[in-house]
Amino acid sequence: MSRLTVRELLEERAGLLEGVRRFFRSRGVLEVDTPILSRAAGTDPALEPFVTSYQGPGEAKGLRLYLQTSPEFHMKRLLAAGSGDIFQVCHAFRQGERGARHNPEFTLLEWYRIGFDHQQLMIEVAELVNTLLGGSLPMERISWQVLFQRGFGWDPLEVDRETLAATARGHGLGGVELQERDQWLDLLMSHLLEPELGHGRLTFVHGYPASQASLARLCPEDPRLACRFELYLEGMELANGFHELADPDEQLARFEADNRRRRELGQEPLPIDHRLVEALRQGLPDCAGVALGLDRLLMLKLGAERLDDVLSFPLPEA
Amino acid sequence: MATYSTNEFRGGLKLLLDGDPCVIIENEFVKPGKGQAFNRVKLRNLKTGRVLEKTFKSGESVEAADVIDRDLQYLYTDGEYWYFMDPETFEQYQADANAMGDAVKWIKDQDICNVTLWNGQPIAVEAPNFVVLEITDTDPGLKGDTSGGGGKPATLETGAVVRVPLFVQIGEKIKVDTRSGEYVGRVKD
């Protein structure tokens, strides 16, 4: 990346935001603004929220509040309340995440499309990214299962932990001690597969295993898989999308299962968002949603090596 | 036993891995959005000098290696060990051939060397970047040739052999860059 002046960097970011707003305005998707602070939190054991508290009128003893790890819950409550198609550009906060591609505070673009499934949403994601990058990168879809089969010659839905560990060792990743299949799969994905994805094209990996469904519904044709996708570009994870889970009981069961996992892993269980569950009970329209890391997209646009290079003030300077 | 968590990892930190002291060269945080976080670390084994890559699950703790660097004065060798002294405390240390590595080719008594100590024992000795050594043997080249073209091997008082220009003669002192093993120039007393 050629060294940009502060002004040039700010203009690049402003241009990206303008492009996002133009794209969605032309498609009739409404911009919304939801709270960053919430009394409930995402329960995913892989995401750790920042905690703060409010003390003042109405809360003399103090109210524990969580900074959002994504705006998903509030946006889904808007969808259930009849918002129609919506998008949001906001800051999200994730504890413990700092590196070449991570800053604990970062900018997310998240949007929801009513009547879309995850396959249709992938096309829109590709259109947006091409619009913002000013390019016409081809789109490639590959199933999560085929990705591992092609890379390692075994089926990730069937593979046992011994094979996973042996594969890691065989690729120079010996010495890592992991308990769970999904952790081994994460290791192989992040170290060996991801770097090869999305070179000169938009690679969508889809059909994640049910154990990594997160907030996606399970595939009606194959309940071992979830209707979830991730976009990779130049070896970097850029977006994560779902055909959204709309079943309130299953949503509640997943929150509770997450909290059980958190306890097993020695993490604090987090307050479940019962308002979201209630909203799903009222009825979430059939929709697909996706979150895209705007800082990373800016990195790619400018050819930056580090996320810090495109932030006004990364953590050490904030 | 001192340990470091992956959150303390940074360049220069010394860890004990598979019984060997290693120093972190690079530390990269890797995490799928919805998955397990890892620290992917590039290290140098301080005993062998080899560079290795290793991945840790974020949040793990790793044993620290008690490794420090000291400027020590080289005293002498008995053939098996090379003896050094801390010029401030006068404490003496003995380094074996393994720890000496290439430094044996370059150092003379009185030289100050950077010595890496692990649990108080030298494991690596670095010669000064530049040393001045006398030529003990080389072909008598053509006296008038100052072009420097071609060059010839010359044996130094420490036994090291370097390529020198043809005009350099036995008994002269030369400056050598120990990192590249190359002749830098003649030194007049």
Side-chain angles (χ1 to χ4, degrees), chain A residues 194-260:
Chain A
E194 178 176 314
E196 305 304 320
L197 295 176
H199 291 285
R201 60 200 149 168
L202 299 164
T203 299
F204 289 87
V205 178
H206 63 94
Y208 278 76
S211 60
Q212 298 178 21
S214 193
L215 300 164
R217 63 179 64 184
L218 298 184
C219 290
E221 322 81 68
D222 186 350
R224 296 178 305 163
L225 302 175
C227 296
R228 172 182 163 199
F229 69 84
E230 293 248 7
L231 165 62
Y232 292 90
L233 180 55
E234 301 306 332
M236 183 153 70
E237 181 188 346
L238 202 55
N240 175 62
F242 309 131
H243 191 180
E244 300 292 345
L245 176 64
D247 179 335
D249 297 321
E250 188 176 340
Q251 181 64 75
L252 183 59
R254 286 194 197 174
F255 284 155
E256 286 168 347
D258 277 350
N259 271 338
R260 279 196 298 278

Side-chain angles (χ1 to χ4, degrees), chain A:
Chain A
M1 167 176 153
S2 54
R3 195 100 190 114
L4 296 180
T5 64
V6 171
R7 175 75 194 186
E8 285 164 341
L9 182 59
L10 294 172
E11 281 173 358
E12 286 288 350
R13 181 173 284 265
L16 197 69
L17 294 172
E18 236 176 82
V20 167
R21 295 196 161 104
R22 204 178 309 121
F23 181 88
F24 287 114
R25 194 179 308 121
S26 74
R27 293 175 182 225
V29 181
L30 184 68
E31 180 164 12
V32 297
D33 185 352
T34 56
I36 282 168
L37 292 172
S38 173
R39 62 196 74 208
T43 51
D44 187 338
L47 298 177
E48 206 52 51
F50 282 77
V51 192
T52 183
S53 71
Y54 164 73
Q55 193 163 21
E59 293 292 345
K61 287 181 181 151
L63 171 68
R64 197 173 164 85
L65 291 168
Y66 298 88
L67 276 68
Q68 66 183 6
T69 55
S70 89
E72 180 142 10
F73 295 174
H74 282 129
M75 290 182 81
K76 280 181 171 166
R77 285 169 62 192
L78 290 181
L79 287 156
S83 66
D85 294 330
I86 49 175
F87 80 96
Q88 175 162 209
V89 175
C90 62
H91 279 209
F93 303 83
R94 295 179 183 181
Q95 187 63 265
E97 303 192 3
R98 173 132 182 91
R101 296 172 176 185
H102 292 85
N103 194 59
E105 175 174 3
F106 62 101
T107 305
L108 265 186
L109 162 63
E110 183 146 329
W111 78 98
Y112 292 85
R113 297 291 254 140
I114 293 171
F116 279 38
D117 65 12
H118 59 300
Q119 297 289 348
Q120 290 166 291
L121 190 58
M122 284 183 223
I123 296 169
E124 186 162 75
V125 172
E127 288 165 349
L128 173 78
V129 171
N130 270 327
T131 303
L132 296 176
L133 293 182
S136 53
L137 296 168
M139 177 179 175
E140 171 193 47
R141 294 185 223 214
I142 177 164
S143 92
W144 181 85
Q145 190 179 14
V146 169
L147 183 67
F148 278 86
Q149 275 168 335
R150 226 166 49 179
F152 306 119
W154 39 250
D155 180 351
L157 293 169
E158 307 287 343
V159 68
D160 55 29
R161 277 194 307 198
E162 288 64 39
T163 308
L164 287 164
T167 304
R169 270 198 309 278
H171 287 83
L173 295 171
V176 195
E177 294 298 331
L178 300 169
Q179 289 80 45
E180 314 217 336
R181 291 180 74 251
D182 281 324
Q183 291 176 322
W184 284 111
L185 292 166
D186 283 339
L187 176 73
L188 298 176
M189 181 73 182
S190 59
H191 284 67
L192 301 173
L193 298 176
E194 178 176 314
E196 305 304 320
L197 295 176
H199 291 285
R201 60 200 149 168
L202 299 164
T203 299
F204 289 87
V205 178
H206 63 94
Y208 278 76
S211 60
Q212 298 178 21
S214 193
L215 300 164
R217 63 179 64 184
L218 298 184
C219 290
E221 322 81 68
D222 186 350
R224 296 178 305 163
L225 302 175
C227 296
R228 172 182 163 199
F229 69 84
E230 293 248 7
L231 165 62
Y232 292 90
L233 180 55
E234 301 306 332
M236 183 153 70
E237 181 188 346
L238 202 55
N240 175 62
F242 309 131
H243 191 180
E244 300 292 345
L245 176 64
D247 179 335
D249 297 321
E250 188 176 340
Q251 181 64 75
L252 183 59
R254 286 194 197 174
F255 284 155
E256 286 168 347
D258 277 350
N259 271 338
R260 279 196 298 278
R261 283 295 302 130
R262 294 184 76 89
R263 281 193 201 90
E264 284 165 25
L265 296 166
Q267 295 169 269
E268 197 190 343
L270 294 167
I272 287 174
D273 195 342
H274 290 285
R275 288 191 171 95
L276 172 67
V277 177
E278 203 38 52
L280 298 187
R281 217 171 283 292
Q282 299 303 314
L284 180 76
D286 185 28
C287 65
V290 59
L292 184 149
L294 274 186
D295 306 310
R296 288 191 184 173
L297 189 62
L298 192 55
M299 272 176 81
L300 291 169
K301 182 152 197 238
L302 302 178
E305 289 293 317
R306 301 183 57 85
L307 199 77
D308 284 9
D309 296 340
V310 302
L311 300 177
S312 57
F313 300 106
L315 185 69
E317 292 162 41

Side-chain angles (χ1 to χ4, degrees), chain B residues 25-68:
Chain B
I25 304 168
E26 262 175 50
N27 168 42
E28 198 187 332
F29 178 78
V30 178
K31 182 183 182 300
K34 308 260 177 214
Q36 176 66 48
F38 300 99
N39 285 67
R40 190 174 199 181
V41 185
K42 197 182 271 184
L43 307 118
R44 179 177 294 109
N45 182 318
L46 291 169
K47 278 173 77 179
T48 65
R50 264 202 294 275
V51 173
L52 60 147
E53 278 201 33
K54 198 162 162 64
T55 292
F56 298 89
K57 195 169 83 170
S58 295
E60 255 183 274
S61 283
V62 184
E63 198 175 336
D66 177 17
V67 172
I68 46 168

